[in-house]
C-alpha cells in the first residue's frame, strides 16, 4: 500500500503524489513567538516532524520550511488590537527582537527535547518584509486589494466573484456575511470580511517599516504566502498547521496566492487536531494551560508527577493526528510505561545474536512478518502513528521472546530476524523519532550490583538476592533473571 494523505481541501484521503518527485516541498505554520511553548505547539511540531521523517524514510528529498511569526499577529487574531510581541516589548522595556529571540530560544529548547527535527529553512516574518510588500503589490495590481488611510485590505467580495472564498474551510460566504457584525462606520474596510494585508502604524507602534503606503507593518496572513512562495515556489506539495488555522489563516493564504500569482499554493493541506484536558479545551482562558517545561518538571498543579519528553512524544503519537488528544494523569502514566517498554526492548537489541537451526516455526514467522507490515500500513494510512505503535509493541514482544530464550532465534530465517531488528530500530529512531532517556544515576553501579546478585544467587544466599532486587527496584531498575543469564531493564 502506498502513502495516502487526508487532504483538508478535498475532504478525503488521496494517494500521495508529489508535484516533482523525488522532491517534496512542505510548509508548516510555525509558532507565534509569544507565550511559553505548550502542548499545542508540541502536537503540531511532532505531527509534521513525523510527516517529514517518514517522507525522508521513503526516499523523498524534502525541503521543510517552518516559519517564525514575529510580527503582525495581533492580540485578538483580528485586524485590530496590539501586536503581541510589541506589547510585551513595551511592558518589559525590551527591543521587540529580544522578545522574539527569547521565545524562539525557548521553542527550540523544548522542541529539541522532544527530538523534533529542525526544519530545512526557518524564515522569520520580520526578515521578509520586502517579499510581503511585493506580494501585496501584486494583489493590488490584480484588483483584489485596496488602500484605505494608509492600510491595505484584501477585497474578499471582489475575490469571491472569480474564486471561491471558503474552498478550504468549507465556510459559506453568505453565512460569513450574516455572522459578521456590520461595520460601525469607523472602519476603513469596504466589507467586514476583508482582512488586512498591511496596517498603518499608529505613532506609538514600535514595530514598523517603510512601504509604498507609508510606515506600517504586515498583516498576519501575508507572511506565509510570501515566505512559502520564496522558498518553495508558487505551487508546492504540503501545507500544514493546527486545525484552528484553517480559517481564517489558511483560507486567506489560498486567497492571497490566487490573487497574486494565480494559483492555489499547496496540493495537500494537512491539519492536526487540538488538545483537550480532562475533556475540556486547553487554553489560557480556560485556566488549564500547561506549558512543556511544566510537563517535564511536574510543577503544574494538574500534574501528579513529571513526564519526560519521550513520554510526551509517545503520548502525542498514540492518537492519529486528526483526532483530538485528551490528557489525563492516568493516560500520561500509561504512556510512560509504554515508552519504557519500547526503550527496554531497543536496549536489548545489541545483546541478541542469531543462531541458525534447522526447525523453523512457520506460525511465528508469519506473525513477525505481519507486525512488520502493520508498521508500514499504519504510516501509509495518513501517518497513523497509533497503528505503527501497536506494531512496535507486537515486534517488541517477539524480540523479548528471543532475548529471554523463550524462542530460539533460529526458529525464523536469518533474513526475517534481521528485518525485524532493522524495522524496530528504524521505527524507534528515524520514523517515530524516539531517543534514549536515562532514568538511573549510575549504570556502572547497577552493573556491579548485578554481579553481586549473581554471586549471591549461585551461593543460594536468597535473602541477599531479595535485598539487592529491592534495592535496585528503588532505583528504578528491574532485574531480569533469565535462563542462564541475568540482565536489567528500566522498571516500567
Ligand atoms: Zn501561516
Amino acid at each position: 500500500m502506498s502513502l495516502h494523505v487526508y487532504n483538508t481541501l478535498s475532504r478525503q484521503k488521496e494517494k500521495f503524489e508529489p508535484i516533482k518527485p523525488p522532491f517534496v516541498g512542505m510548509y508548516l505554520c510555525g509558532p507565534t513567538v509569544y507565550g511559553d511553548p505548550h502542548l499545542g505547539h508540541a502536537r503540531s511540531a511532532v505531527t509534521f516532524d513525523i510527516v517529514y521523517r517518514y517522507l525522508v524514510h521513503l526516499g523523498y528529498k524534502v525541503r521543510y520550511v517552518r516559519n517564525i511569526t514575529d510580527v503582525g499577529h495581533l492580540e485578538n487574531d483580528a485586524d485590530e488590537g496590539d501586536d503581541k510581541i510589541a506589547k510585551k516589548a513595551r511592558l518589559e522595556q525590551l527591543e521587540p527582537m529580544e522578545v522574539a529571540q527569547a521565545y524562539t530560544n525557548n521553542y527550540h529548547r523544548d522542541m529539541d527535547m522532544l527530538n523534533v527535527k529542525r526544519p530545512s529553512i526557518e524564515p522569520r516574518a520580520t526578515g521578509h518584509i520586502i517579499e510581503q510588500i511585493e506580494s501585496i503589490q501584486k494583489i493590488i495590481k490584480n484588483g483584489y486589494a485596496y488602500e484605505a488611510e494608509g492600510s491595505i485590505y484584501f477585497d474578499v467580495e471582489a475575490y469571491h466573484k472569480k474564486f471561491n472564498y471558503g474552498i478550504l474551510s468549507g465556510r459559506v460566504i453568505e453565512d460569513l456575511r450574516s455572522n459578521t457584525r456590520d461595520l460601525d462606520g469607523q472602519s476603513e474596510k469596504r466589507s467586514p470580511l476583508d482582512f488586512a494585508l498591511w496596517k498603518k502604524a499608529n505613532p506609538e507602534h514600535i514595530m514598523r517599516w517603510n512601504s509604498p503606503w507609508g510606515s506600517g507593518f504586515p498583516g498576519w496572513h501575508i507572511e506565509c504566502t510570501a515566505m512559502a512562495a520564496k522558498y518553495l515556489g508558487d505551487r508546492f506539495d504540503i501545507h500544514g498547521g493546527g486545525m484552528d488555522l484553517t480559517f481564517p489563516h489558511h483560507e486567506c493564504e489560498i486567497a492571497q496566492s490566487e490573487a497574486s500569482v494565480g494559483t492555489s499554493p499547496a496540493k495537500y493541506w494537512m491539519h492536526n487536531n487540538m488538545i483537550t484536558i480532562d475533556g475540556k479545551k486547553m487554553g489560557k482562558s480556560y485556566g488549564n494551560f500547561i506549558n512543556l517545561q511544566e510537563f517535564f518538571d511536574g510543577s503544574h498543579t494538574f500534574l501528579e508527577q513529571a513526564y519526560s519528553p519521550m513520554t510526551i512524544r509517545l503520548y502525542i503519537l498514540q492518537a492519529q493526528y486528526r483526532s483530538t488528544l485528551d490528557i489525563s494523569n492516568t493516560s500520561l502514566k500509561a504512556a510512560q510505561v509504554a515508552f519504557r517498554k519500547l526503550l527496554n526492548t531497543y536496549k536489548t537489541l545489541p545483546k541478541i545474536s542469531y543462531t541458525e537451526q534447522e526447525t523453523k516455526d512457520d506460525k511465528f514467522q508469519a506473525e513477525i512478518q505481519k507486525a512488520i507490515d502493520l508498521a508500514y500500513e499504519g504510516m501509509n494510512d495518513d501517518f497513523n502513528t497509533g497503528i505503527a505503535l501497536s506494531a512496535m509493541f507486537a515486534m517488541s514482544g517477539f524480540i523479548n521472546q528471543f532475548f529471554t530464550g523463550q524462542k530460539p532465534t533460529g526458529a525464523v530465517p536469518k533474513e526475517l530476524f534481521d528485518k525485524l531488528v532493522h524495522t524496530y530500530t528504524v521505527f524507534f529512531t528515524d520514523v517515530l523519532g524516539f531517543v534514549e532517556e536515562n532514568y538511573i544515576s549510575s549504570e556502572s553501579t547497577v552493573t556491579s550490583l548485578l554481579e553481586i546478585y549473581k554471586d549471591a544467587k549461585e551461593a543460594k544466599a536468597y535473602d541477599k538476592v531479595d535485598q539487592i532486587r529491592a534495592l535496585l527496584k528503588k532505583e528504578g531498575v528491574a532485574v531480569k533473571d533469565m535462563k542462564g543469564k541475568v540482565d536489567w531493564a528500566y522498571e516500567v
Side-chain angles (χ1 to χ4, degrees):
M1 183 187 166
S2 50
L3 176 60
H4 282 64
V5 177
Y6 181 86
N7 191 350
T8 310
L9 195 59
S10 66
R11 291 155 183 78
Q12 62 187 7
K13 279 184 200 167
E14 293 174 23
K15 187 171 180 222
F16 181 68
E17 284 169 330
I19 298 163
K20 280 185 214 140
F23 301 100
V24 172
M26 172 168 147
Y27 188 93
L28 171 64
C29 287
T32 295
V33 285
Y34 184 85
D36 292 309
H38 55 73
L39 204 58
H41 290 113
R43 189 169 198 202
S44 190
V46 169
T47 296
F48 291 94
D49 185 48
I50 291 291
V51 173
Y52 179 43
R53 285 169 176 275
Y54 192 58
L55 290 173
V56 170
H57 175 71
L58 294 180
Y60 291 110
K61 300 201 180 319
V62 187
R63 182 181 296 163
Y64 174 24
V65 181
R66 186 185 69 198
N67 70 304
I68 299 268
T69 295
D70 57 359
V71 67
H73 201 139
L74 304 182
E75 274 187 313
N76 52 8
D77 283 348
D79 289 341
E80 308 300 330
D82 252 348
D83 183 288
K84 288 180 173 181
I85 295 152
K87 186 183 177 190
K88 183 162 170 83
R90 201 165 50 241
L91 288 175
E92 301 188 7
Q93 300 208 337
L94 296 165
E95 175 65 30
M97 281 308 278
E98 253 181 308
V99 177
Q101 188 65 55
Y103 288 135
T104 306
N105 292 348
N106 289 346
Y107 181 77
H108 284 160
R109 174 199 63 202
D110 292 356
M111 296 312 136
D112 286 351
M113 288 176 82
L114 289 167
N115 203 31
V116 169
K117 278 188 186 284
R118 300 259 177 125
S120 329
I121 304 175
E122 192 170 49
R124 288 171 172 276
T126 54
H128 297 76
I129 300 294
I130 292 167
E131 288 83 351
Q132 296 178 69
I133 290 174
E134 283 171 0
S135 291
I136 296 168
Q137 284 175 316
K138 280 185 202 160
I139 298 172
I140 296 173
K141 194 171 146 258
N142 292 339
Y144 298 110
Y146 57 92
E147 184 179 350
E149 308 282 333
S151 293
I152 306 292
Y153 293 100
F154 190 92
D155 191 337
V156 172
E157 299 287 353
Y159 173 79
H160 191 65
K161 283 200 181 102
K162 189 162 172 215
F163 301 94
N164 179 5
Y165 188 73
I167 190 170
L168 179 72
S169 59
R171 308 235 178 165
V172 179
I173 198 153
E174 286 74 22
D175 297 345
L176 287 171
R177 271 192 213 112
S178 56
N179 290 340
T180 321
R181 271 178 298 136
D182 278 340
L183 296 175
D184 53 11
Q186 300 294 310
S187 178
E188 313 142 354
K189 293 183 192 178
R190 287 181 192 165
S191 153
L193 298 184
D194 296 351
F195 56 90
L197 297 170
W198 186 266
K199 286 287 282 182
K200 180 187 177 169
N202 297 325
E204 69 274 15
H205 205 96
I206 43 178
M207 293 176 85
R208 58 201 303 150
W209 292 264
N210 287 325
S211 79
W213 319 287
S215 179
F217 57 95
W220 170 32
H221 313 305
I222 195 70
E223 66 170 274
C224 291
T225 297
M227 294 189 289
K230 180 177 171 99
Y231 297 112
L232 299 170
D234 291 339
R235 181 113 174 116
F236 53 93
D237 300 292
I238 299 173
H239 194 312
M243 219 169 246
D244 54 339
L245 295 182
T246 315
F247 189 89
H249 188 52
H250 291 162
E251 193 73 61
C252 294
E253 275 190 48
I254 291 179
Q256 291 168 157
S257 287
E258 291 278 19
S260 60
V261 295
T263 177
S264 187
K267 187 173 178 186
Y268 305 95
W269 286 83
M270 296 179 65
H271 294 97
N272 64 276
N273 211 324
M274 302 290 107
I275 306 251
T276 55
I277 297 186
D278 278 343
K280 288 186 214 80
K281 196 181 168 198
M282 185 177 89
K284 271 217 166 81
S285 49
Y286 300 92
N288 61 0
F289 196 79
I290 310 174
N291 68 46
L292 286 165
Q293 287 298 318
E294 289 170 328
F295 276 103
F296 300 158
D297 65 21
S299 61
H300 193 281
T301 48
F302 173 84
L303 303 172
E304 289 167 13
Q305 60 167 81
Y307 299 99
S308 76
M310 287 304 110
T311 298
I312 299 295
R313 189 173 173 101
L314 184 137
Y315 192 74
I316 291 170
L317 296 181
Q318 277 178 330
Q320 212 278 348
Y321 72 89
R322 288 195 296 117
S323 45
T324 53
L325 177 64
D326 188 58
I327 29 177
S328 66
N329 279 285
T330 316
S331 47
L332 282 164
K333 283 176 197 165
Q336 175 175 304
V337 170
F339 178 70
R340 289 185 185 200
K341 280 185 179 168
L342 290 182
L343 177 60
N344 280 335
T345 302
Y346 177 70
K347 284 170 79 75
T348 64
L349 289 174
K351 298 175 189 165
I352 314 170
S353 50
Y354 185 82
T355 315
E356 191 61 73
Q357 79 172 37
E358 252 176 56
T359 34
K360 301 289 179 209
D361 184 334
D362 291 344
K363 191 168 163 264
F364 197 53
Q365 279 183 54
E367 282 172 355
I368 292 175
Q369 188 58 53
K370 207 175 143 197
I372 294 170
D373 293 344
L374 185 67
Y376 282 97
E377 282 162 22
M379 293 305 288
N380 283 337
D381 184 14
D382 194 25
F383 307 94
N384 196 329
T385 47
I387 301 285
L389 276 171
S390 66
M392 288 291 282
F393 283 107
M395 286 191 268
S396 165
F398 303 135
I399 292 164
N400 282 328
Q401 290 186 51
F402 289 136
F403 179 59
T404 56
Q406 222 177 311
K407 280 269 179 202
T409 49
V412 303
K414 178 152 194 315
E415 207 189 2
L416 185 63
F417 174 82
D418 288 345
K419 201 167 152 193
L420 172 67
V421 171
H422 179 75
T423 308
Y424 191 87
T425 307
V426 164
F427 266 72
F428 187 87
T429 57
D430 297 351
V431 175
L432 298 177
F434 294 124
V435 280
E436 278 193 52
E437 282 178 340
N438 184 17
Y439 309 114
I440 54 172
S441 44
S442 160
E443 193 161 335
S444 64
T445 311
V446 172
T447 323
S448 314
L449 277 169
L450 276 187
E451 286 307 315
I452 306 173
Y453 177 94
K454 278 187 232 168
D455 292 345
K457 211 181 128 193
E458 228 159 81
K460 295 193 165 54
Y462 294 117
D463 277 1
K464 203 169 172 189
V465 165
D466 289 344
Q467 247 176 18
I468 298 172
R469 194 180 266 277
L471 191 70
L472 284 167
K473 192 178 159 85
K474 249 174 77 184
E475 292 298 309
V477 171
V479 176
K480 297 278 168 194
D481 208 333
M482 295 162 287
K483 222 167 30 177
K485 60 180 171 184
V486 174
D487 207 335
W488 68 273
Y490 292 120
E491 188 78 51
V492 296

